[in-house]
Amino acid sequence: MQLLRCSLINFTTISLFVDDISQFDYRKLTVKNGEVTILTDDYTTYANEIILKLKSMVDIKFHCIISYDDLSKSVSYHSFCSSKEFHDKYYTEEKLGVDYHKEGSTFRLWAPASTSVNVLIYESGDFTLPEKPRKYPMSDTNGLWEARVKGNLKGYFYTYEVKVYNEVNEVVDPYAVACGVNGLRGAIVDLKETNPTGFRTYKAPEINNYTDAIIYEANVRDLSIHPDSGIKHKGKYLGLAEEGTESSKGVSTGLAHILELGVTHVQLMPVFDYSYLSVDERHPYKYNWGYDPQNYNIPEGTYSTDPYNPTCRIYELKKAITQLHKNGLAVIMDVVYNHIYKYEDSNLEKIFPGYYFRAYEDGSLSNGSGCGNDIASERSMVRRFIIDSLLYWATEYDFDGFRFDLMGIHDVDTMTEICEKLKSTGKNLMLYGEGWHLNTNLREDQKANIYNSFKLKEAGFFNDLIRDTIKGSVFNIHDKGFVGDGEGKADTIKFCAVGCSLDWFNKPAAFYSPSQSINYCSCHDNYTLWDKLKLSSPYVSEEELKAMNKLADGIVLTSMGVPFLHAGSEFCRTKEGVENSYNSTDTINRMDWHRKSKYLDVFEYYKGLIRLRKEHRAFRLYDRAQISDHIEFLPGGRSSVAFMIKDHANNDTWKDIIVIYNGAAHVNTILIPSGQWHVVVNKHKAGTEVIETIEGGNVSVEATSIMVLYR
C-alpha cells in the first residue's frame, strides 16, 4: 500500500489517501507532530480516503508526519490554512509593523508557524557594513508576535530573526514603511516629518464617474531620462515634480507636457520597492519596469536622490504627487499584489512557508501569473495585507486610484472587499486592472477576471477586445486591425464604441456599465502602437502610419468607457521594434522629446481630441440606459462605423453629435441626417472649434480618419 497524499482538515482531523485501502491496517499507522506522537481516536474510510480523528490538536508550528510500516508522508497544511478553524484561531486585526513613539516602539509580526522571533535593531541601513545588532525577543499570542523596545528609535533600522520549521531566517517586516538601501532592512521613521509643503493642501479634482477620467500611463524614469528633456532630476521622482520644462527645440517635456496634453489622471508604473536584483539602488544603471515586488509598502529607491536615506524616497515621491495634485492631475498607482519576484527568497515565504502563495494539494505552486507563483489573495491574512497596503498608499501618499497588475489572479471576494474598504477613505478612488483569464488555482466563478465583471461592478477592466480590434491582435504582428483597413471588424468596433455594455451586434454585454471598460490600444506591454502599426503594415508611408496612429487613439478617446493612453503614443512613440522592453536600455524605453518635435502635428491632434472629450459630456456616458437612449448607429461603408449621440446626451450643450470612423484605405461616403452640421474633427485637425459647416446628406470621410460633427 502506498501513501498518496495527506492533508490537515481541522486541528484534530487528517485526510489520508492511499492507493489500495483493502490493505490498510489501522494499527500500523502513527502520527507525529514535531517530537510529539498524537494518538488517533477513530477513523472512517471512503473509497481510498481515510479520515483520521486525533485525540489532541495538531500544532502547525511543527511538521506533522504520518508513518505506516516503512512509509511516511508529510501532512499538508495547505487546505487548513484557508479554513474557518484557522481563521478563527489566528486571524488578527491588531496593528502590524512598527508603532513608533518617541518614548518607545512596539513591533508586531504575524507568524503563526514560527517557534521564536526576535527584533534585530541596527544603526545602519546598509547591509554591506559589518554590524552586530541589538536583539529583543518577541512573545507569541495565537501567532501574533510582539515586543516593545524602549527609547527613541527614530533613524534606526530593523529586521526580524524568525525561526520556523527548524530554519532561522532574517527577514524584512512585510509591513515596513521605510527601508535602507536596496530594501534589505526596515527603517524606523516619523512619517509626519516626510510631508512636503502643501502635501495635504492640494487635492486632485474628484470625478463623478470613471468615464470622466482620461488616463495616461507613464514611467517615472522614462519621462525625464532623455538628455534633452530639460529636466534637472533625470529619472527621479523630483524630475516628475519639475514645472515648466522644455527641450532645446522648445517643446514642453515631463509634467509640462502632460499638462499641455490635457489628460486628467497619471498612472505611474511601479513606484513601490521592487527587487534589488532587478536594479541595484547603489548603482542604478540597469533598467527595469519594476513588476517584481520586494517591499510592498515602501517607495522604490532608484527614483530617489538618496536611496540610503529612508525618508528621502518617501518625501520625494510625496513631492511628485503634491506637484501633480497642485496642477489638477489625479495620480494612480500601479500595484502588483499578484506575485512576488522569487517566492522562495521572499520575506513572506520565510515568515510563514506555504501560506502566502497559492498551491495545489500536492504542494506545487499555482502559476497563473507566469512568474512562478500566485499570491493566495483568498486567505484571510493575505487579503488583509493587500487591503492594509492599499489603504496605506491611499491615505499616507494620497493616491487617487489603483491599477491592478494581473487582477485576474485575485479572487472576487477580495476585490469586492477592496472596493468597499477603499470607500472608507472618503475619496472616490479609481480601481481597475488586467482582468485576464489566467490558469490559477481558483474556481472559475471566483476569479476576478473580465468574465466575472458583473460581480465587480465598481471595478474597471482593461478591454483587450477594443485593443486588438483597433490595431490587430498583440499575438499576431501581421494582423492589421480596423485602422489598417482590416476586414470584418466594423461590428466589433460598434460594440466597443458603446463600452461593450449592451447586448448589441450579436455579442453579449461584457460589462455592467461603460464605466468598467478601460479602452486602450497600447500600454507598456507589447509593441508600442507605432511599432505594431509598422510591423502589420510594412509598406505604407509614414503619413499613412500617422493617420492610423491618430485614428487608433481617436477611437479610444471618442468611445464610451474610460480612455487610457500609453505615454508617447501622442508623438508616435517607438521602442525600435522591441516587444517586451521591461529590462531594455534607456535609449529604448525613454520618452524621446525630439520625436515630439518631429510629430508635433500628431500631438496637437491628440490634444484636440482630449479637449473635445473633456468639454463635452456626451462622450462620457456612464450607464447602459444613457447609451440605449442616446446612441444610434448610422449606415456605414466598408470598414467604417458611424453613430449619433443624440438629444443633449448626459446634458451636453450640443444637441446631436455624429462620430465616424473610417478604417478603410479609401474615402467612404456616409449618409447623415439632414440639417446643418459643424465639423470639429477631421483627418487633419481635432478640437472643439468649427473647421467647416456642411449640410446633411452624403458626407465624404477621408481614408483612415475620424470625423466628428455636431448640430
Side-chain angles (χ1 to χ4, degrees):
M1 186 185 77
Q2 296 296 314
L3 309 181
L4 300 179
R5 67 178 186 272
C6 15
S7 303
L8 186 67
I9 305 302
N10 56 48
F11 284 108
T12 56
T13 308
I14 291 174
S15 166
L16 170 64
F17 281 87
V18 298
D19 63 339
D20 185 1
I21 204 165
S22 64
Q23 299 181 35
F24 178 66
D25 184 347
Y26 173 68
R27 295 167 298 181
K28 296 181 179 181
L29 187 138
T30 59
V31 180
K32 198 164 186 180
N33 186 200
E35 298 300 318
V36 177
T37 299
I38 299 180
L39 299 177
T40 53
D41 192 30
D42 194 9
Y43 76 98
T44 56
T45 61
Y46 179 78
N48 283 350
E49 183 182 18
I50 303 159
I51 304 294
L52 299 170
K53 297 298 293 182
L54 309 178
K55 287 189 174 182
S56 55
M57 295 173 62
V58 170
D59 187 346
I60 65 165
K61 292 181 183 296
F62 305 96
H63 289 302
C64 191
I65 306 294
I66 285 187
S67 298
Y68 186 90
D69 283 341
D70 57 347
L71 303 173
S72 64
K73 197 76 175 176
S74 179
V75 177
S76 169
Y77 297 155
H78 172 72
S79 295
F80 176 65
C81 285
S82 299
S83 69
K84 183 178 183 301
E85 289 84 356
F86 179 92
H87 173 89
D88 290 346
K89 181 172 176 61
Y90 294 116
Y91 184 80
T92 180
E93 286 286 354
E94 287 283 343
K95 181 181 178 181
L96 299 173
V98 180
D99 190 7
Y100 163 77
H101 296 280
K102 288 182 179 179
E103 63 277 8
S105 297
T106 301
F107 298 82
R108 295 189 189 93
L109 176 71
W110 187 76
S114 297
T115 50
S116 73
V117 182
N118 297 304
V119 181
L120 306 182
I121 303 294
Y122 291 91
E123 292 186 2
S124 172
D126 188 346
F127 61 98
T128 64
L129 300 178
E131 180 183 351
K132 185 177 181 180
R134 288 182 281 159
K135 184 182 294 190
Y136 299 89
M138 303 179 78
S139 58
D140 174 26
T141 305
N142 291 332
L144 179 64
W145 294 82
E146 183 173 326
R148 180 166 175 78
V149 180
K150 294 180 180 179
N152 190 347
L153 296 179
K154 186 176 72 174
Y156 286 85
F157 300 83
Y158 76 105
T159 58
Y160 294 123
E161 183 182 65
V162 178
K163 184 176 182 181
V164 58
Y165 300 136
N166 294 319
E167 286 192 15
V168 177
N169 295 310
E170 186 173 353
V171 300
V172 179
D173 184 356
Y175 276 79
V177 297
C179 66
V181 67
N182 276 339
L184 294 173
R185 288 177 185 168
I188 304 165
V189 300
D190 186 347
L191 287 169
K192 294 190 293 293
E193 298 176 356
T194 64
N195 293 342
T197 303
F199 178 64
R200 298 296 180 191
T201 304
Y202 299 112
K203 300 292 179 185
E206 290 204 16
I207 56 174
N208 295 318
N209 303 287
Y210 281 16
T211 52
D212 292 332
I214 301 171
I215 302 168
Y216 187 78
E217 181 194 42
N219 179 283
V220 170
R221 184 175 176 123
D222 295 355
L223 277 168
S224 56
I225 203 71
H226 191 280
D228 195 22
S229 67
I231 295 171
K232 178 182 176 183
H233 297 94
K234 289 180 169 54
K236 306 298 181 183
Y237 297 122
L238 292 182
L240 178 58
E242 291 181 37
E243 296 180 313
T245 58
E246 60 179 38
S247 75
S248 63
K249 297 180 183 296
V251 299
S252 61
T253 62
L255 174 57
H257 166 81
I258 296 171
L259 292 172
E260 185 186 0
L261 185 61
V263 296
T264 65
H265 289 61
V266 175
Q267 177 194 299
L268 295 177
M269 288 171 66
V271 291
F272 55 77
D273 183 53
Y274 51 81
S275 176
Y276 74 98
L277 297 174
S278 295
V279 181
D280 187 335
E281 292 178 355
R282 299 168 302 172
H283 312 289
Y285 305 120
K286 290 167 62 180
Y287 180 98
N288 201 284
W289 284 341
Y291 290 92
D292 44 11
Q294 180 170 299
N295 293 301
Y296 276 105
N297 300 309
I298 303 172
E300 168 58 27
T302 59
Y303 300 142
S304 72
T305 57
D306 184 2
Y308 290 87
N309 181 345
T311 59
C312 180
R313 63 181 75 195
I314 300 173
Y315 173 85
E316 290 178 354
L317 174 55
K318 286 181 175 180
K319 178 70 174 176
I321 294 169
T322 301
Q323 288 297 96
L324 291 168
H325 283 170
K326 178 184 174 184
N327 285 281
L329 289 165
V331 192
I332 291 171
M333 183 182 186
D334 195 340
V335 291
V336 187
Y337 296 109
N338 65 86
H339 76 281
I340 205 82
Y341 177 65
K342 193 175 181 183
Y343 94 96
E344 59 266 41
D345 293 335
S346 76
N347 297 310
L348 298 175
E349 178 68 8
K350 289 178 178 179
I351 290 167
F352 192 170
Y355 182 77
Y356 286 92
F357 298 95
R358 192 173 293 147
Y360 297 94
E361 283 299 331
D362 64 2
S364 62
L365 287 181
S366 177
N367 187 27
S369 67
C371 301
N373 61 88
D374 300 339
I375 292 288
S377 60
E378 68 279 10
R379 289 181 166 167
S380 57
M381 285 299 287
V382 182
R383 180 178 296 166
R384 186 199 152 177
F385 175 72
I386 294 172
I387 292 171
D388 285 349
S389 179
L390 291 166
L391 287 171
Y392 174 73
W393 287 109
T395 54
E396 183 61 39
Y397 288 82
D398 208 15
F399 277 102
D400 305 293
F402 300 98
R403 177 263 188 194
F404 280 74
D405 186 64
L406 298 187
M407 188 169 72
I409 289 291
H410 300 312
D411 65 290
V412 167
D413 291 342
T414 294
M415 294 307 301
T416 300
E417 190 169 339
I418 287 170
C419 290
E420 289 302 311
K421 289 293 177 67
L422 288 180
K423 291 177 183 177
S424 69
T425 63
K427 295 174 61 176
N428 185 20
L429 294 162
M430 290 192 74
L431 189 154
Y432 57 92
E434 293 178 303
W436 314 138
H437 181 268
L438 301 165
N439 187 27
T440 189
N441 188 24
L442 278 177
R443 291 200 326 262
E444 291 301 318
D445 64 330
Q446 271 295 298
K447 296 177 180 179
N449 60 34
I450 202 166
Y451 301 106
N452 290 316
S453 63
F454 279 65
K455 297 180 179 180
L456 292 166
K457 295 175 183 176
E458 296 182 48
F461 295 79
F462 279 93
N463 189 339
D464 56 339
L465 182 63
I466 192 171
R467 176 197 70 194
D468 289 351
T469 306
I470 288 175
K471 69 175 183 180
S473 170
V474 297
F475 304 110
N476 180 359
I477 63 170
H478 304 294
D479 185 8
K480 293 179 181 294
F482 177 82
V483 302
D485 202 8
E487 292 280 3
K489 298 180 185 290
D491 277 356
T492 306
I493 288 289
K494 291 178 183 178
F495 180 61
C496 293
V498 295
C500 301
S501 58
L502 289 173
D503 298 335
W504 281 7
F505 311 106
N506 300 313
K507 294 178 176 64
F511 303 115
Y512 177 75
S513 77
S515 296
Q516 288 187 286
S517 182
I518 307 297
N519 295 333
Y520 76 117
C521 58
S522 63
C523 67
H524 68 274
D525 281 322
N526 310 113
Y527 295 109
T528 67
L529 174 59
W530 181 261
D531 288 348
K532 174 64 167 73
L533 295 174
K534 282 187 71 174
L535 286 165
S536 60
S537 300
Y539 304 113
V540 304
S541 68
E542 184 167 275
E543 284 303 311
E544 289 172 303
L545 283 173
K546 285 166 59 176
M548 292 160 67
N549 199 104
K550 291 191 293 185
L551 175 58
D553 274 327
I555 295 171
V556 166
L557 286 162
T558 53
S559 291
M560 300 304 129
V562 185
F564 174 104
L565 302 174
H566 179 220
S569 59
E570 68 275 15
F571 50 76
C572 309
R573 183 177 184 176
T574 179
K575 293 186 180 179
E576 306 300 336
V578 176
E579 182 178 15
N580 185 9
S581 66
Y582 78 98
N583 64 351
S584 296
T585 61
D586 282 323
T587 55
I588 295 296
N589 283 292
R590 70 191 181 190
M591 297 276 280
D592 184 351
W593 299 109
H594 290 169
R595 200 169 176 86
K596 179 182 177 182
S597 304
K598 180 179 180 180
Y599 296 103
L600 199 57
D601 57 330
V602 178
F603 169 76
E604 292 293 338
Y605 195 85
Y606 272 71
K607 191 166 75 170
L609 287 171
I610 289 168
R611 184 168 67 251
L612 174 68
R613 185 178 182 95
K614 286 172 69 175
E615 293 183 12
H616 288 280
R617 298 164 53 91
F619 295 100
R620 312 199 303 267
L621 307 185
Y622 53 83
D623 65 31
R624 291 173 156 198
Q626 288 180 315
I627 289 174
S628 183
D629 292 344
H630 295 287
I631 290 187
E632 173 188 335
F633 281 89
L634 307 175
R638 188 184 73 80
S639 297
S640 68
V641 169
F643 60 93
M644 183 163 63
I645 315 171
K646 59 186 182 179
D647 301 330
H648 296 289
N650 203 13
N651 297 314
D652 201 296
T653 55
W654 291 347
K655 182 178 184 294
D656 300 316
I657 303 169
I658 290 176
V659 180
I660 305 170
Y661 308 137
N662 184 15
H666 57 75
V667 174
N668 255 317
T669 301
I670 305 296
L671 180 63
I672 65 172
S674 60
Q676 253 192 6
W677 291 90
H678 306 292
V679 179
V680 291
V681 177
N682 63 16
K683 184 169 184 173
H684 310 286
K685 190 175 180 181
T688 56
E689 296 178 1
V690 177
I691 300 169
E692 63 174 325
T693 299
I694 63 174
E695 292 295 324
N698 288 327
V699 58
S700 294
V701 185
E702 291 188 74
T704 320
S705 72
I706 178 174
M707 186 177 235
V708 178
L709 319 85
Y710 78 91
R711 66 178 178 185

